[in-house]
Amino acid sequence: MARSVPVRKALVSVVAVLLVVVGAALAADAPRKGGVLRVGNLGEPPALDAHWTTASITETLTNHIYEGLYSLDSGNRPIPMLAEGVTVSKDGLVYTFKLRQGVKFHNGKEMTSEDVVASLGRWGKQSVYGKALFAQVAEFKALDKYAVEMRLKEKSAIVLISLAVPNNFGAIYPKEIADKFPPEQKVTEYIGTGPFKLAEWKPDQYIRMVRFDDYKSRNEKPNGYGGGKTAYVDEIRWVPVPEVATRVAQVETGELDFADDLNLDAYDRLKKNPNARAIVSKPYYWLVAVMNKKEGLMTNQKLRQAWQAAIDIEPIMKNVAGGKTEFYRMDSSLAPVEITAWHTKIAGLPWNEHNKDKAKRLLQEAGYKKEPIRFMTTQEYKWMYDFALLTKQQLEDVGFNIDLQVVDWATLVKRRNNSKEYDVFTTGMGVFYDPTHHIYLTAGWPGWTTDEGILKLQADLARETDPKKRMALWEQQTRQFYEKVPVIRYGDLFGLRAARNTVKDFNDKTERVRFYNVWLEK
Amino acid sequence: MGPYLLRRLLAIIPVLAVVVTVVFLLIHLIPGDPVSVMLGPDATLSQIEATRKGLGLDRPIYEQLIGFYARVLRGDLGQSYFLDRPVSQALWERAEPTLVLMLSALVVAIAIGVPSGTIAAAYRGSAWDRGLMLVSLLGVCIPGFWLSLNFIYFFAVRLGWLPAAGYVSVFTDPVGAMRYMVLPAFSLGFNQSALIARISRSCMLDVLQQDYIRTARAKGLSHGVVTWVHAFRNALVPVVTVIGITTAVLIGGAVVTEIVFNIPGLGRLIISAILRRDYPVVQGVVLVTATVYVLINLGVDLLYAIIDPRIRYD
């Protein structure tokens, strides 16, 4: 076999060369530590207390500092984060969570069950999702150092998803902090278990988060909002830049590495820039006109149906998206496509009918006499103003009389709480991860959906644990939604963010930005 | 001079009281609610009510006003709803960027305005005159916002000479601070220089027609000496007034500039405070700016006496 020696030699050298090449390629793409990631966002958070507010900027920031027992995977299903796992009793009434051991808080203390009980107790009294869950909880206590038990009053479908929702979430704080700040008062000491810890907060200048060296990551791969997390950058510097044109310019000049919430008209400019990347963020919002169902004209269901029948949604969406088809989607489902578990495909719903005759007929049946309908919107969010303006035109075509009231955002969110002050207002509906979280289908949110049928289905959805039956209930709820029209669903609008090319491994599949596992090539 | 100064200082008190009361009532009477903004879009109505109560916002407005007065008299401007710190501390932190911006803009405005106005007057009717006045007309007309964004686009994005936005303290990095301050100072100062140039020109023209100037010229003094030595000082009095007004205007103009160039000063503080209805901060900023405004006015009046010995205060 003498002849095979050179062949073997050749083979060995080929393999060696390949290994070197592949190795070099891998090395070039291997995440590396270091650097300061400068992120431009639109303003200051009202708090860095995840339990306290539903503001999305607080959500983004706090999810880098704190963690909850559960998190969401890439399909938006709950997966354990600080919990090792859960066992549920046969009757479905007792949830026993085992905690991961050796997880450290930023102050060096180990996280144990007493921290979890204190934190979730506080969360259950303040957070929108916490309150909904704890309304079903009979008892919540520590079993031992690494186990907690949640005993329910009745069977519940929402235990894990409520703990996993990233907004207004069940962040685990040290017990001392959870006890020190009563639920209605925001926390001002920021200690979590997350991969980054807060170093400095200078309002209107920056929020500095630095790597937490003792962070104990999960062993799984990164998955959605959960899985393994690594802080590659030394520091995330969140810079509030309220003027959107400035945010865009600073990404172009390299003063910022990443910018969120950009105007869609910056898309073309960013696409031409060889150093930056435009990222379409979806899902973002679906546009919605919320009807006052407690008082005034819109308590009339026929009138709401007339509005729904009249509007031609595609031109409105196209205009709001600046004529760019990349930025909107036409879809009747109440949950966006990205929430795979709850996206519905029901044919024949009265969505986007733009049927003038039907609208006129409904107006007549409603006994509408051209009374002015007070429709509140704001220019602070340009897309809200645009869609309100176009809606007004379309509605007046079929015989509505719309009194468009343009106010600033703080006025709008104040007025919408008072049933005497408006008939309809514009807003955007973010993502909800469970049917029971759709706030516009509850009586406790502006617009006041008090329809018995809708509320009964919401209650059923909260109790039913069989996924198939829940889906059937949700489809039924969707049909009911289009019949009773608590709010008007327009289309899905997407957002725009931008990153410098040096920002690597940013996950653009999740709705909100997360910078763990992101590294800088500099 | 002494009694005059005392009278003027005492007169400031009712002015400030009126300003503060009006602002308090205005900001509380316009609709809008800090709590709904703080708690976010998904908050329930019961949460909002509870938090309002916690901040004392459910109490009648006169009670809140009395409480506010009581605190101010004790020297306490209250606690910001959003910033987790006392208003006085927030004000103090923001004073430096605004002062630096105003001073640099003022330097730019004077450095451009006074010489160009004087030159235009000295060479009245010449191409210099027409050219300078055209530029100053542009300066008056261009909105500061638009000018700022164009400065950013050309000098930062296209040419890459200067940073687009941001702020560095002069105390930590003087050179860096200047780099950050060039564009904002020029966009804010350019607008104001236009007004100064026009006033300087007309004052200079006035003075140049006076008898003593003719006398000076008749003595055979050069054009330069007549302009800069004899006329200039006497033309200054109204110009100082304008510069005083300019400084006050700069406080307002700084708001836009601070937002576009992302400078964490008082202007940005008050805009964000108004948008999110951070009442204590709005009241605090207005109280302090009104005080500064009134003091600048007083300072200008006192400066007259120094520049023009004929003006005396008794």
Side-chain angles (χ1 to χ4, degrees):
Chain A
M1 299 300 260
R3 233 178 43 180
S4 68
V5 172
V7 176
R8 196 187 286 166
K9 261 189 179 168
L11 259 177
V12 166
S13 50
V14 165
V15 168
V17 167
L18 270 176
L19 276 177
V20 169
V21 170
V22 170
L26 279 178
D29 280 331
R32 68 178 78 130
K33 283 199 171 183
V36 177
L37 180 79
R38 295 151 308 167
V39 182
N41 51 7
L42 76 173
E44 284 294 312
L48 287 180
D49 180 351
H51 300 166
W52 192 73
T53 171
T54 66
S56 61
I57 178 131
T58 299
E59 175 196 325
T60 302
L61 291 160
T62 52
N63 270 281
H64 291 81
I65 307 174
Y66 309 112
E67 296 170 312
L69 290 189
Y70 271 72
S71 182
L72 292 170
D73 71 4
S74 56
N76 292 305
R77 287 171 298 258
I79 47 169
M81 175 47 71
L82 290 177
E84 196 73 72
V86 67
T87 48
V88 185
S89 67
K90 272 226 172 90
D91 58 6
L93 291 180
V94 184
Y95 282 64
T96 311
F97 296 93
K98 273 193 80 182
L99 305 179
R100 283 166 63 213
Q101 301 191 8
V103 174
K104 291 251 173 70
F105 280 111
H106 298 157
N107 61 5
K109 202 193 89 169
E110 191 192 5
M111 179 206 64
T112 64
S113 52
E114 60 169 10
D115 303 307
V116 173
V117 170
S119 297
L120 293 185
R122 182 178 186 272
W123 172 71
K125 292 197 188 82
Q126 172 70 9
S127 157
V128 174
Y129 305 104
K131 275 182 163 172
L133 173 58
F134 271 75
Q136 301 178 329
V137 172
E139 195 188 12
F140 184 53
K141 61 174 188 204
L143 290 180
D144 58 49
K145 200 175 172 192
Y146 300 108
V148 289
E149 181 186 281
M150 184 178 277
R151 207 169 267 278
L152 302 172
K153 293 177 195 155
E154 53 181 348
K155 258 178 95 171
S156 165
I158 59 165
V159 176
L160 298 185
I161 191 72
S162 299
L163 292 169
V165 166
N167 181 262
N168 210 190
F169 76 113
I172 304 302
Y173 304 155
K175 179 179 192 300
E176 306 82 73
I177 288 181
D179 289 346
K180 184 172 168 187
F181 297 91
E184 66 278 4
Q185 190 188 324
K186 59 184 170 184
V187 159
T188 52
E189 288 167 41
Y190 317 103
I191 292 169
T193 59
F196 289 95
K197 55 182 181 180
L198 187 81
E200 197 183 1
W201 180 359
K202 283 190 130 180
D204 284 350
Q205 290 196 53
Y206 52 76
I207 289 174
R208 229 157 53 81
M209 292 181 191
V210 296
R211 181 191 305 120
F212 173 44
D213 287 320
D214 286 337
Y215 178 69
K216 189 172 181 192
S217 174
R218 294 190 71 91
N219 297 321
E220 300 94 331
K221 284 198 170 127
N223 183 359
Y225 292 114
K229 298 177 189 172
T230 312
Y232 286 110
V233 296
D234 297 336
E235 179 184 325
I236 310 176
R237 188 173 291 219
W238 307 85
V239 188
V241 187
E243 173 54 41
V244 62
T246 310
R247 272 204 306 280
V248 175
Q250 285 190 296
V251 173
E252 292 179 303
T253 60
E255 286 161 61
L256 290 174
D257 302 299
F258 192 97
D260 206 356
D261 280 303
L262 303 179
N263 279 354
L264 303 186
D265 50 24
Y267 186 59
D268 294 331
R269 210 166 117 184
L270 284 166
K271 271 209 308 195
K272 278 187 220 131
N273 190 319
N275 299 317
R277 187 161 70 91
I279 303 167
V280 179
S281 57
K282 58 177 137 177
Y284 186 56
Y285 284 124
W286 50 269
L287 305 191
V288 58
V290 181
M291 309 291 183
N292 176 356
K293 294 166 291 306
K294 192 188 254 180
E295 215 172 331
L297 290 164
M298 299 319 280
T299 53
N300 186 333
Q301 185 175 320
K302 295 262 187 209
L303 208 53
R304 304 200 297 268
Q305 288 172 335
W307 182 311
Q308 184 169 267
I311 51 171
D312 184 0
I313 294 173
E314 179 115 38
I316 294 181
M317 294 309 297
K318 196 166 181 179
N319 192 294
V320 166
K324 294 187 175 66
T325 46
E326 295 96 325
F327 286 104
Y328 72 91
R329 180 172 56 203
M330 299 288 287
D331 186 15
S332 67
S333 167
L334 300 181
V337 179
E338 287 78 6
I339 310 294
T340 36
W342 300 111
H343 182 252
T344 54
K345 295 188 193 93
I346 305 172
L349 293 172
W351 177 78
N352 192 29
E353 289 184 307
H354 50 98
N355 183 339
K356 285 188 182 179
D357 295 333
K358 183 177 173 187
K360 282 177 183 160
R361 196 187 70 229
L362 283 164
L363 277 181
Q364 214 163 32
E365 287 173 23
Y368 180 63
K369 305 223 165 32
K370 286 246 179 196
E371 300 97 326
I373 293 170
R374 293 163 300 166
F375 186 19
M376 269 199 308
T377 188
T378 175
Q379 281 188 310
E380 250 166 272
Y381 297 95
K382 189 174 172 292
W383 48 272
M384 278 192 207
Y385 178 71
D386 288 349
F387 101 73
L389 208 61
L390 291 163
T391 298
K392 175 182 157 83
Q393 283 169 7
Q394 291 187 358
L395 292 179
E396 293 191 332
D397 264 5
V398 298
F400 274 90
N401 175 11
I402 302 293
D403 170 16
L404 193 66
Q405 303 191 344
V406 186
V407 296
D408 73 340
W409 179 245
T411 305
L412 193 151
V413 291
K414 160 86 184 190
R415 274 203 198 160
R416 71 184 197 181
N417 299 336
N418 184 347
S419 61
K420 297 208 178 324
E421 295 204 42
Y422 70 96
D423 296 306
V424 189
F425 69 87
T426 59
T427 190
M429 282 297 159
V431 193
F432 298 109
Y433 301 98
D434 189 79
T436 58
H437 291 162
H438 289 244
I439 43 172
Y440 56 93
L441 299 176
T442 67
W445 193 74
W448 306 275
T449 299
T450 47
D451 180 87
E452 278 173 26
I454 289 180
L455 296 186
K456 182 180 175 300
L457 270 182
Q458 285 303 98
D460 292 347
L461 275 161
R463 269 191 302 267
E464 181 53 64
T465 49
D466 178 353
K468 273 204 180 125
K469 286 183 187 159
R470 289 195 93 205
M471 190 60 191
L473 289 171
W474 180 232
E475 286 181 351
Q476 203 184 326
Q477 184 73 297
T478 305
R479 289 203 175 84
Q480 208 175 190
F481 171 91
Y482 280 105
E483 184 201 326
K484 293 174 173 166
V485 207
V487 307
I488 307 275
R489 193 206 194 287
Y490 288 71
D492 293 333
L493 178 70
F494 304 142
L496 177 65
R497 33 181 81 127
R500 298 284 292 181
N501 291 339
T502 46
V503 176
K504 299 289 177 184
D505 288 347
F506 174 75
N507 177 7
D508 52 18
K509 300 282 185 298
T510 55
E511 183 205 11
R512 302 289 187 204
V513 296
R514 297 288 185 268
F515 293 113
Y516 31 79
N517 307 323
V518 168
W519 53 284
L520 285 171
E521 186 186 71
K522 276 188 185 171
Chain B
M1 192 82 176
Y4 171 79
L5 192 63
L6 190 69
R7 262 203 325 270
R8 283 292 301 262
L9 285 174
L10 282 177
I12 290 176
I13 294 168
V15 172
L16 291 183
V18 169
V19 168
V20 165
T21 311
V22 168
V23 167
F24 183 94
L25 292 176
L26 271 181
I27 183 91
H28 278 83
L29 292 178
I30 52 169
D33 181 13
V35 174
S36 311
V37 180
M38 278 194 275
L39 292 181
D42 296 351
T44 57
L45 300 172
S46 58
Q47 280 173 300
I48 292 171
E49 275 319 303
T51 313
R52 279 178 64 81
K53 215 173 192 154
L55 290 173
L57 287 169
D58 56 333
R59 293 209 302 273
I61 192 149
Y62 67 89
E63 265 184 44
Q64 295 186 46
L65 181 62
I66 292 169
F68 171 63
Y69 271 131
R71 277 198 308 276
V72 167
L73 288 177
R74 286 197 307 266
D76 173 11
L77 292 175
Q79 184 85 15
S80 161
Y81 297 155
F82 285 80
L83 303 174
D84 290 328
R85 61 192 68 209
V87 174
S88 48
Q89 188 194 338
L91 277 167
W92 185 244
E93 289 166 352
R94 307 311 172 88
E96 182 203 306
T98 301
L99 273 179
V100 172
L101 172 63
M102 277 175 54
L103 283 178
S104 6
L106 196 62
V107 168
V108 169
I110 295 173
I112 299 177
V114 174
S116 53
T118 313
I119 291 169
Y123 301 95
R124 186 184 185 180
S126 71
W128 274 107
D129 184 15
R130 285 197 297 274
L132 285 168
M133 284 306 106
L134 184 73
V135 173
S136 86
L137 188 68
L138 280 176
V140 177
C141 298
I142 293 175
F145 184 74
W146 189 82
L147 186 69
S148 306
L149 286 177
N150 276 293
F151 271 16
I152 292 181
Y153 187 68
F154 283 108
F155 295 108
V157 177
R158 293 291 292 273
L159 298 171
W161 289 352
L162 293 160
Y167 179 76
V168 174
S169 169
V170 273
F171 298 110
T172 53
D173 176 9
V175 180
M178 277 178 65
R179 277 171 51 77
Y180 277 100
M181 207 37 81
V182 172
L183 290 182
F186 267 86
S187 46
L188 184 54
F190 182 63
N191 275 144
Q192 296 306 320
S193 73
L195 188 65
I196 296 180
R198 303 209 135 232
I199 300 287
S200 306
R201 180 176 179 272
S202 66
C203 294
M204 199 67 188
L205 283 179
D206 265 0
V207 173
L208 286 176
Q209 279 156 13
Q210 307 271 324
D211 289 344
Y212 70 91
I213 298 293
R214 256 204 301 276
T215 315
R217 286 197 209 283
K219 282 198 301 188
L221 292 177
S222 77
H223 189 59
V225 172
V226 171
T227 310
W228 294 103
V229 178
H230 287 74
F232 186 65
R233 184 177 160 127
N234 291 310
L236 264 186
V237 174
V239 175
V240 168
T241 318
V242 171
I243 291 174
I245 294 171
T246 299
T247 316
V249 170
L250 283 176
I251 303 178
V255 173
V256 172
T257 313
E258 282 178 11
I259 294 213
V260 176
F261 289 100
N262 209 32
I263 298 168
L266 291 171
R268 247 191 81 184
L269 180 67
I270 194 164
I271 286 295
S272 44
I274 290 173
L275 283 178
R276 57 198 180 197
R277 306 288 191 271
D278 196 341
Y279 302 138
V281 172
V282 176
Q283 289 148 17
V285 176
V286 169
L287 181 59
V288 169
T289 20
T291 313
V292 171
Y293 200 103
V294 172
L295 290 179
I296 287 176
N297 258 319
L298 179 59
V300 167
D301 285 351
L302 296 179
L303 259 182
Y304 287 164
I306 297 167
I307 295 174
D308 186 345
R310 286 172 301 179
I311 300 173
R312 285 195 205 290
Y313 299 114
D314 303 303

